[in-house]
Amino acid sequence: MFVPLEFSIIPVAVLISQLGLSNTIFGVILAESGGGSVMLVMLFAGFFSQIPKELEESATIDGSGFFRTFASIMLPLSKPIIGSAVIMQIVWTWNSFLTPLVLTLSNPSIRPLSVGLYAFRGENVVDWTGIAAGATISILPIIIIFLILQRYFIEGISGAVKG
């Protein structure tokens, strides 16, 4: 269940190549969106296990089916955990290094910022000012997304369902 990304990078690269998306930005996006974040699955499982069963049972007694119960009760209650998951997935994808590096080895022009910062490190010299400037610029979108979704993130981590 907990398989590190490093173990799956070769099959992902082969699959992207077989799909004809090698050295394209769409291949990198597809590989990053496939994720398989076990952490997020565990976060959702922990959140939904805190929701009282009485809510679901009362909806069933009122004649609600599974999908209506989920859409009208469970989904509105899960806004905090969805916000937390969105923030975490965006941050992990934005900071991803290995997958974009492997998938863009022969086409440096489509490399994302995290991989592009690696170019400031030479064989004998490191451009620390360039790396610092790039890191400052790269953190701005994450800060903006966090500020927009901050309420959901705090509620999702602390637990929004009161028992």
Side-chain angles (χ1 to χ4, degrees), residues 1-12 31 34-42 92 98-99:
M1 194 157 136
F2 290 101
V3 177
L5 173 70
E6 291 80 15
F7 289 133
S8 64
I9 191 68
I10 294 175
V12 168
S37 299
V38 175
M39 168 85 174
L40 297 179
V41 172
M42 298 300 216
W92 287 335
L98 182 63
T99 303

Side-chain angles (χ1 to χ4, degrees), residues 57-114:
E57 291 170 357
S58 65
T60 304
I61 289 172
D62 289 341
S64 178
F66 174 76
F67 291 111
R68 184 167 179 195
T69 302
F70 182 77
S72 61
I73 295 174
M74 301 298 179
L75 198 57
L77 285 175
S78 64
K79 284 181 186 176
I81 199 66
I82 291 172
S84 299
V86 165
I87 289 174
M88 287 183 199
Q89 186 62 41
I90 288 172
V91 169
W92 287 335
T93 302
W94 185 259
N95 292 330
S96 181
F97 181 78
L98 182 63
T99 303
L101 177 67
V102 169
L103 295 177
T104 61
L105 280 174
S106 61
N107 192 357
S109 64
I110 63 168
R111 288 185 178 164
L113 188 56
S114 60

Side-chain angles (χ1 to χ4, degrees), residues 115-163:
V115 179
L117 286 176
Y118 189 66
F120 286 107
R121 187 191 65 82
E123 187 174 329
N124 297 319
V125 178
V126 177
D127 182 11
W128 292 110
T129 57
I131 291 175
T136 303
I137 292 170
S138 73
I139 197 72
L140 290 176
I142 299 299
I143 291 172
I144 291 169
I145 289 170
F146 180 76
L147 291 175
I148 291 170
L149 299 174
Q150 177 182 10
R151 182 185 72 178
Y152 297 115
F153 184 74
I154 300 299
E155 289 176 4
I157 296 301
S158 65
V161 179
K162 306 293 184 232

